[in-house]
Amino acid sequence: MKKRTKFLLFGLIPFSIFIFFVATGYHYIPVDTTIGKCIMDYTSPSTYASRPSPLMSHGFEVNGQEVLVCYGSPSAKERKVFGSMVRFDRLWRTGANEPTRLYTTTDMVLGEVVVPKGRYSIYTIPREGEWEIFISKSTYHWGNVITKGVREQEIGSFVVETLPTAGFVESFTIRSENEKLVMEWENTRVEIPVVGI
């Protein structure tokens, strides 16, 4: 009897839990216990693809709670970015590699979209003079593979005007500044209001 109990406690149950998370990913783990360093989603083989651009992160607080943005940071490398390398009027992963991911441990409003505590991806349609920002519950897809299934998981979208940067920005950057999420690259700056609720 003791051997069977040990086998269940130290063998079968931990193995079953391991298989569950390999099969389902981290989505069933509470976001506040997994927020931290940006890592590959081990359940998605596409995230093991080659990364020509470094994986970056930016953490900040809303309502005293943690928010983390993970994104690939491509560089201009003397190329024209918007309207050329990043085409206007097309969906863009808003960075490089995996989708740009947002992890929040609190409910908030991002732009005009109510974003409950959880995990999301952010993608955009850049246009001359404005960007349309989309928030989706999908975080499994590879960056620009924004399929109908990914689009169906959107929780909302909004439009923000583009602004000029103070100077040339070589690498795509996301940071927080004065209760806004700021994205900058080349000569383009986008400011997204962030409000806790």
Side-chain angles (χ1 to χ4, degrees), residues 135-190:
I135 314 296
S136 173
K137 288 183 180 179
S138 172
T139 58
Y140 283 112
H141 63 282
W142 185 248
N144 274 343
V145 185
I146 303 170
T147 63
K148 182 181 177 185
V150 173
R151 300 295 311 269
E152 287 172 349
Q153 295 184 63
E154 289 172 11
I155 62 169
S157 66
F158 55 93
V159 174
V160 289
E161 292 183 5
T162 58
L163 302 167
T165 56
F168 186 82
V169 178
E170 171 64 20
S171 298
F172 179 66
T173 306
I174 300 177
R175 69 178 186 281
S176 56
E177 184 180 293
N178 300 323
E179 298 183 344
K180 292 175 183 171
L181 196 60
V182 176
M183 301 178 182
E184 290 185 319
W185 197 14
E186 195 181 35
N187 299 305
T188 300
R189 175 183 172 100
V190 168

Side-chain angles (χ1 to χ4, degrees), residues 17-30:
I17 291 170
F18 172 75
I19 292 299
F20 173 78
F21 286 116
V22 166
T24 63
Y26 54 80
H27 285 256
Y28 294 105
I29 304 172

Side-chain angles (χ1 to χ4, degrees), residues 60 62 108-115 133 135 158-161 177-183 190-196:
F60 60 103
V62 174
M108 63 183 185
V109 178
L110 191 62
E112 299 169 9
V113 177
V114 174
V115 180
I133 315 285
I135 314 296
F158 55 93
V159 174
V160 289
E161 292 183 5
E177 184 180 293
N178 300 323
E179 298 183 344
K180 292 175 183 171
L181 196 60
V182 176
M183 301 178 182
V190 168
E191 297 179 352
I192 304 170
V194 181
V195 180

Side-chain angles (χ1 to χ4, degrees), residues 41-104:
D41 174 5
Y42 62 88
T43 65
S44 176
S46 64
T47 66
Y48 289 87
S50 175
R51 277 185 179 74
S53 302
L55 181 62
M56 305 294 285
S57 67
H58 177 71
F60 60 103
E61 289 190 356
V62 174
N63 288 340
Q65 300 295 313
E66 289 181 278
V67 179
L68 179 70
V69 180
C70 304
Y71 65 99
S73 177
S75 297
K77 297 179 181 176
E78 299 182 0
R79 298 171 291 181
K80 177 169 173 51
V81 175
F82 294 107
S84 180
M85 194 165 72
V86 175
R87 304 262 182 98
F88 286 134
D89 302 310
R90 289 194 186 177
L91 282 167
W92 176 49
R93 73 188 97 191
T94 318
N97 312 323
E98 295 100 331
T100 292
R101 290 166 288 159
L102 174 77
Y103 302 86
T104 175

